[in-house]
């Protein structure tokens, strides 16, 4: 059994093969009165689909759930089910990501945060410019609010540069209680450990070979590469610095975060920290855990091919 729309398409195909309208309807058992039907639903959905296509082109790595938040901001509020229906109707489905092998462990994350400015995490991300210059990006985030505190871009970053970045952040946000990182040479240098001791900041070094213990920053780095670095073509290091800083501001002020109840990090920070339960993201409502398990493949990795604006 097929729907009325498909049956009308079959009649149109038969007419294209030389049959009259009356004969085609008789052969296919389609009422002639239905040929002139025009769906009012398509007219109603047209503005939302147009806005959805525009947003999907502007944010090619976002799925329909995050696009729904942008549609609501643009004056097109709709339910998740309707958003998914229009997303599929507009052929904006995205390919399923290749599943990653995950470590099966029930151990809790060491020193989990329970409020803003308690645990910061930092790590490095690498890339290359079109002129061959190497990019080394120091990313610093607040694990509770998911705010990107800084992304320092340079050709090489040693311990002195790391101390300079951290000192600037402490002067603006205050000192955190813990600073989480791996055991890289830049993070365990004597100069950094001495500065952290003087600043009253305790280290939370992860175990060797266990990057999932620094999962918050690893997740941010994955989004940074997936949603921005892989879509960009930097002419030189200066071009990369300007563009990356613009993306960082977009991440904090515009991009909705699913684990924060689809608030931006700055919106979540302004509303105050909600109660935290280990194993669930800070501001996620109780029903959101079930929604995450029911996440459709289309929400995982949208199609590439457009540039961040």
């Amino acid at each position: 059994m097929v729907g009325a729309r498909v049956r009308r398409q079959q009649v149109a195909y038969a007419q294209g093969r030389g049959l009259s309208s009356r004969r085609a309807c008789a052969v296919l058992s389609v009422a002639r009165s239905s040929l002139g039907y025009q769906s009012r639903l398509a007219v109603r959905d047209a503005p939302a689909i147009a806005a959805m296509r525009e947003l999907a082109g502007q944010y090619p790595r976002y799925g329909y759930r995050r696009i729904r938040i942008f549609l609501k901001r643009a004056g097109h509020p709709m339910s998740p089910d309707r958003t998914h229906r229009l997303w599929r109707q507009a052929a904006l489905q995205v390919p399923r990501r290749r599943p990653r092998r995950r470590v099966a462990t029930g151990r809790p994350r060491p020193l989990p945060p329970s409020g803003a400015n308690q645990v910061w995490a930092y790590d490095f991300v690498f890339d290359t410019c079109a002129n061959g210059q190497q990019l080394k990006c120091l990313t610093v985030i607040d694990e509770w609010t998911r705010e990107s505190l800084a992304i320092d871009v340079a050709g090489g970053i040693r311990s002195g540069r790391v101390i300079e970045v951290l000192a600037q952040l402490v002067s603006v946000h205050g000192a955190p209680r813990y600073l989480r990182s791996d055991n890289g040479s830049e993070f365990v240098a004597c100069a950094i450990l001495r500065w952290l001791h003087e600043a009253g900041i305790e280290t939370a070094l992860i175990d060797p070979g266990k990057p999932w213990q620094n999962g918050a920053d690893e997740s941010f780095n994955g989004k940074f590469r997936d949603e921005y670095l892989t879509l960009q073509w930097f002419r030189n290091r200066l071009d990369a610095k300007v563009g990356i800083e613009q993306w960082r501001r977009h991440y904090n002020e515009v991009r909705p975060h699913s684990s924060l109840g689809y608030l931006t990090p700055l919106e979540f920070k302004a509303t105050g920290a909600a109660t935290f339960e280990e194993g669930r993201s800070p501001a996620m409502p109780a029903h959101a855990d079930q929604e995450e398990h029911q996440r459709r493949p289309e929400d995982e990795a949208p199609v590439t091919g457009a540039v961040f604006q």
Side-chain angles (χ1 to χ4, degrees):
M1 299 296 292
V2 295
R5 181 177 59 86
V6 177
R7 294 173 73 84
R8 287 194 295 271
Q9 292 175 354
Q10 292 174 343
V11 171
Y13 175 79
Q15 288 178 303
R17 302 288 291 182
L19 293 181
S20 65
S21 174
R22 183 188 301 271
R23 179 60 177 165
C25 289
V27 171
L28 297 171
S29 300
V30 177
R32 292 178 60 196
S33 60
S34 67
L35 297 183
Y37 173 80
Q38 303 216 349
S39 173
R40 289 177 293 179
L41 183 62
V43 176
R44 189 189 70 173
D45 291 340
I49 291 179
M52 187 177 291
R53 289 185 184 276
E54 182 179 356
L55 289 169
Q58 186 177 1
Y59 306 110
R61 302 302 293 174
Y62 290 175
Y64 80 95
R65 295 177 185 269
R66 191 164 284 118
I67 290 296
R68 184 175 72 91
I69 305 301
F70 286 97
L71 288 172
K72 182 179 180 181
R73 296 176 183 174
H76 299 284
M78 62 184 70
S79 67
D81 289 339
R82 184 186 176 208
T83 307
H84 182 248
R85 176 177 64 81
L86 297 181
W87 185 263
R88 293 178 61 88
Q89 180 179 329
L92 297 174
Q93 304 99 302
V94 295
R96 184 190 298 267
R97 278 184 176 178
R98 178 179 299 177
R100 298 173 56 187
R101 179 177 299 176
R102 299 185 180 275
V103 177
T105 176
R107 296 182 180 179
R109 180 174 50 168
L111 301 175
S114 58
N117 214 40
Q118 287 192 359
V119 180
W120 291 359
Y122 59 159
D123 202 355
F124 288 113
V125 177
F126 298 88
D127 204 358
T128 307
C129 298
N131 61 358
Q133 289 182 321
Q134 298 296 316
L135 294 178
K136 189 175 185 179
C137 306
L138 173 64
T139 62
V140 187
I141 68 165
D142 187 317
E143 288 193 359
W144 178 259
T145 64
R146 304 297 200 274
E147 180 183 3
S148 173
L149 302 175
I151 303 179
D152 188 57
V153 182
I157 300 178
R158 306 299 293 272
S159 58
R161 182 70 173 265
V162 174
I163 293 175
E164 181 181 349
V165 173
L166 293 177
Q168 292 177 353
L169 293 177
V170 168
S171 66
V172 174
H173 302 279
R177 183 175 180 181
Y178 297 103
L179 193 60
R180 195 188 310 276
S181 70
D182 57 26
N183 296 274
S185 58
E186 299 88 347
F187 302 138
V188 297
C190 293
I192 287 186
L193 298 179
R194 188 183 310 111
W195 181 86
L196 292 176
H197 177 73
E198 295 174 354
I201 303 174
E202 299 182 35
T203 59
L205 299 177
I206 66 175
D207 296 334
K210 297 183 178 180
W212 56 88
Q213 292 183 354
N214 192 14
D217 199 36
E218 293 289 346
S219 176
F220 171 81
N221 292 343
K223 295 180 178 67
F224 177 36
R225 182 173 299 281
D226 184 57
E227 297 177 6
Y228 187 69
L229 292 181
T230 57
L231 305 180
Q232 297 302 309
W233 188 80
F234 301 121
R235 294 190 298 268
N236 49 50
R237 194 172 292 148
L238 179 60
D239 184 30
K241 288 183 179 181
V242 174
I244 289 174
E245 177 60 21
Q246 290 178 346
W247 181 86
R248 188 187 71 86
R249 293 179 180 273
H250 170 85
Y251 179 88
N252 289 335
E253 302 171 5
V254 179
R255 181 189 185 278
H257 203 298
S258 59
S259 67
L260 300 179
Y262 287 100
L263 298 176
T264 66
L266 292 187
E267 287 174 344
F268 175 69
K269 185 177 180 180
T271 58
T275 58
F276 178 82
E277 297 180 18
E278 184 63 26
R280 196 175 74 191
S281 299
M284 184 177 291
H287 61 80
D289 289 339
Q290 300 176 359
E291 186 174 329
E292 288 298 316
H293 288 297
Q294 298 173 354
R295 185 180 299 272
R296 298 183 174 93
E298 288 84 355
D299 199 32
E300 295 181 352
V303 179
T304 58
V307 179
F308 171 84
Q309 298 177 351

